[in-house]
Amino acid sequence: MTHPDQKSNNRVSVEPVDRRKEWKLLYHQQGRPGLEEGIKFKGLCRHCELQDMCPLPKPEGGIWRCTYYRAVQKRSNVYDNVLKQLERAKEVVPFDDDICKILTETMNEIIVHFPVKMKDGRVKVLTGYRVQHNNALGPFKGGLRFHPGVDIDEIKALATMMTWKTALTNIPFGGAKGGIQLDPAEYTSEEMERITRRFTYALGDNIGPDYDIPAPDVNTNAQIMAWIQDTYMSTVAPNERNRCAHVVTGKPIESGGSQGREKATGQGVVFLIEKWASEHSLDLKGATYIVQGFGNVGSWAARLLKRHGSRLLAVEDVTGSVSNPKGIDPDDLAAYVNEHGGVRGYAKAEPVDHATFFGTEADIFIPAALENQITDATAELLNVRLIAEGANGPTDTEGDRVLQRRKIAVIPDILCNSGGVIVSYFEWLQNKRSEFWELEEVDFKLKKTILAAYERVREAAEKYKVDWRTAAHIVALSRLETVYKERGIFP
Ligand code: NAD
């Protein structure tokens, strides 16, 4: 489609697809319809192609703001953002051109189409991805995402970020990511098990305990990891079976998972917030925070901050946004979300719209949902001192510029949410050594590792006089560059 209100020299084509499906996808990927309503927005339109399906209110006879169009324009930018961050680091430190050439490409991009029998007896063919960005530092490592917005660009972006993250935290892993394009809400648990197992089978030897190790991400959890583990172990030779438990991390404890893995990403976020607060005269007792995304990362970060006596003022997830100036109990909300699937309808807080959520005055904002949530428009609304990025890529390039101009501090994603992969590494080590570590040991080592990375980022930020995101990329790229220079390029 070409948008009707665009001047001919600025046309954007979008492949014709089922609009309902497309809208649903964008709804998941970019936030609720109406996101940009009333907010600074560059493209105006009179006749959105969604017409009656478009849920935006249309002022009588007036021109209204089209979120759909903007969302379509922004869709493929996730990978571009990742490459722009690399470019930005390279402007500050002249990293070797040849090494950057290697790092701007992903090593392997695996796309599998696999059939699964559904509960009505019919067969559905699904599409799954595994992108292996780089393994110079160790086996490929990264989560699996089950989401309608999953596509090759998103997975490439997330795989690349994993390489930066493992390099930054000094973990002997490379970077990968994978997923299936689907909405888990549309399938029964039995169907999800069959989909997961068949996807694992389709990936075959492309994953493996010392080659590429998946973990949970959006809409995947310990149960999904257990199904992958069992499928993988069942398809190797019987005498290999018990040498493969570490083919995934984030498993249930009984199946070889680690103490503290489930909360690890949120715990890492909170260790960093504690450190930042101690350095910026912010007393966490009584400090206020808002959270976007109340799944694994968001709900754990919220619950752990509660232990400091901080007050949760507003939460947003895919079902809506809720707010209570007196405070929301994160444990109570987590129990509600567990039962009802989202924050919508939570009676102990008021429903609010997206813009109100973003504009809530608080000390800390923890984005813990999807990419590209902090844009130039939403960054202008924020009323916080610190953003602790629990999600991967929550801030786009324009949003970042606004945050820097407004002097809002950011603990960037590749540092802030690295607690997950750090404890995944501990789980992998425990499996390889047939050991079981106590929770205290896991937490102690996580804190030590993540705070050491924080110090490295601080040093780079001070040395090069750059923002923390650029500094984090400089630290990661420096390590990768050193390794490539030491080893050379074969042959
Ligand atoms: P999850 O599936 O447990 O939770 C995702 C949350 O995001 C849900 O509450 C969902 O409702 C919400 N959400 C989805 N779309 C939204 C939208 N458009 N607007 C507002 N909220 C929306 O996933 P998770 O594991 O908590 O992952 C969240 C983020 O953290 C992702 O970016 C993921 O890549 C990143 N991350 C996760 C881990 C981990 O260990 N799970 C580790 C590092 C980074």
Side-chain angles (χ1 to χ4, degrees):
M1 130 197 160
T2 301
H3 198 273
D5 274 16
Q6 284 301 297
K7 291 197 180 105
S8 55
N9 61 355
N10 189 24
R11 289 187 171 219
V12 176
S13 356
V14 179
E15 72 279 17
V17 285
D18 175 349
R19 290 286 155 228
R20 265 167 222 277
K21 208 170 155 197
E22 176 82 342
W23 179 252
K24 197 170 168 201
L25 191 147
L26 291 167
Y27 180 91
H28 279 286
Q29 216 173 22
Q30 303 288 343
R32 262 152 302 294
L35 168 68
E36 314 288 345
E37 178 108 73
I39 302 171
K40 191 178 76 171
F41 176 59
K42 291 169 203 134
L44 298 176
C45 73
R46 291 164 205 272
H47 309 292
C48 171
E49 208 187 292
L50 289 165
Q51 298 192 359
D52 290 346
M53 272 174 53
C54 183
L56 277 180
K58 301 174 182 65
E60 265 177 47
I63 293 174
W64 50 279
R65 291 153 199 260
C66 179
T67 48
Y68 166 75
Y69 178 58
R70 170 141 171 141
V72 169
Q73 274 188 311
K74 292 191 80 136
R75 247 182 89 187
S76 60
N77 286 354
V78 197
Y79 189 52
D80 290 348
N81 286 345
V82 170
L83 296 183
K84 277 184 202 154
Q85 278 158 13
L86 187 144
E87 281 304 315
R88 167 85 185 106
K90 200 162 173 276
E91 279 165 18
V92 181
V93 178
F95 290 111
D96 186 287
D97 277 336
D98 287 339
I99 293 169
C100 288
K101 241 183 259 168
I102 297 170
L103 294 172
T104 48
E105 295 295 342
T106 51
M107 282 175 83
N108 306 310
E109 293 167 19
I110 301 138
I111 303 181
V112 290
H113 305 286
F114 54 98
V116 184
K117 212 177 249 181
M118 295 293 127
K119 68 170 190 288
D120 60 4
R122 305 205 57 150
V123 167
K124 192 160 186 174
V125 178
L126 290 145
T127 301
Y129 303 86
R130 187 72 184 169
V131 172
Q132 296 161 337
H133 174 255
N134 191 279
N135 64 352
L137 301 178
F140 298 111
K141 185 86 189 82
L144 284 181
R145 178 175 289 197
F146 290 179
H147 193 275
V150 163
D151 63 18
I152 191 69
D153 269 350
E154 181 184 64
I155 299 296
K156 277 170 71 172
L158 294 166
T160 311
M161 282 182 225
M162 281 305 296
T163 302
W164 309 154
K165 204 181 295 182
T166 50
L168 168 64
T169 48
N170 266 348
I171 282 182
F173 282 141
K177 202 83 178 188
I180 309 178
Q181 192 185 75
L182 58 73
D183 183 352
E186 290 175 359
Y187 300 92
T188 63
S189 171
E190 291 72 28
E191 285 172 331
M192 285 311 300
E193 176 174 353
R194 283 203 293 278
I195 291 168
T196 304
R197 287 183 181 278
R198 194 58 214 246
F199 177 46
T200 309
Y201 182 76
L203 287 176
D205 284 349
N206 289 301
I207 57 169
D210 293 304
Y211 179 61
D212 182 355
I213 305 121
D217 191 77
V218 173
N219 290 332
T220 56
N221 54 22
Q223 175 61 77
I224 303 254
M225 295 306 118
W227 289 330
I228 296 175
Q229 176 190 24
D230 184 66
T231 307
Y232 189 88
M233 288 166 80
S234 303
T235 49
V236 295
N239 62 344
E240 290 288 320
R241 188 180 157 84
N242 285 313
R243 270 183 249 154
C244 296
H246 50 302
V247 64
V248 281
T249 56
K251 303 180 284 290
I253 304 245
E254 299 75 9
S255 291
S258 176
Q259 293 287 348
R261 173 60 184 91
E262 200 204 315
K263 72 175 172 93
T265 310
Q267 180 67 77
V269 170
V270 171
F271 282 148
L272 295 171
I273 290 175
E274 284 168 10
K275 178 76 178 159
W276 188 92
S278 71
E279 291 172 347
H280 293 83
S281 322
L282 174 64
D283 187 355
L284 286 181
K285 191 169 165 34
T288 51
Y289 61 110
I290 61 173
V291 178
Q292 188 199 41
F294 212 70
N296 174 291
V297 180
S299 73
W300 269 111
R303 281 183 277 171
L304 292 166
L305 266 183
K306 173 187 158 184
R307 296 183 192 171
H308 285 280
S310 308
R311 191 155 42 103
L312 175 62
L313 297 184
V315 178
E316 176 173 276
D317 73 2
V318 75
T319 65
S321 316
V322 293
S323 158
N324 184 346
K326 291 191 182 137
I328 296 169
D329 179 350
D331 290 300
D332 191 56
L333 182 61
Y336 178 86
V337 169
N338 203 18
E339 198 181 331
H340 296 90
V343 302
R344 191 188 183 139
Y346 182 63
K348 296 173 193 165
E350 290 294 315
V352 289
D353 64 23
H354 185 68
T356 308
F357 167 79
F358 261 84
T360 308
E361 188 179 345
D363 295 304
I364 305 161
F365 173 35
I366 305 173
L370 300 179
E371 305 87 56
N372 286 349
Q373 298 298 308
I374 305 174
T375 60
D376 53 353
T378 52
E380 293 287 3
L381 294 174
L382 283 170
N383 210 343
V384 296
R385 286 176 68 185
L386 171 69
I387 297 176
E389 293 185 336
N392 282 308
T395 309
D396 72 10
T397 315
E398 294 84 27
D400 217 14
R401 246 176 248 136
V402 174
L403 297 181
Q404 284 178 40
R405 173 173 52 73
R406 296 190 59 213
K407 299 201 179 350
I408 297 177
V410 175
I411 305 179
D413 51 3
I414 59 171
L415 169 64
C416 196
N417 67 39
S418 63
V421 75
I422 292 171
V423 177
S424 275
Y425 168 53
F426 298 159
E427 179 176 329
W428 186 75
L429 272 186
Q430 290 171 72
N431 294 160
K432 277 172 92 84
R433 299 173 180 171
S434 298
E435 289 178 3
F436 293 97
W437 301 356
E438 301 288 334
L439 179 60
E440 291 70 28
E441 183 176 358
V442 172
D443 279 350
F444 173 79
K445 287 180 171 159
L446 165 61
K447 190 169 183 176
K448 199 171 155 203
T449 311
I450 207 164
L451 291 186
Y454 181 96
E455 289 307 332
R456 284 193 285 279
V457 176
R458 182 219 304 282
E459 273 169 31
E462 284 168 5
K463 178 170 173 192
Y464 298 107
K465 302 198 175 5
V466 290
D467 62 283
W468 275 51
R469 192 184 308 283
T470 307
H473 283 82
I474 289 174
V475 176
L477 286 165
S478 304
R479 181 161 173 230
L480 286 155
E481 185 184 56
T482 305
V483 167
Y484 269 104
K485 282 191 170 158
E486 283 166 0
R487 296 188 200 162
I489 307 292
F490 173 81

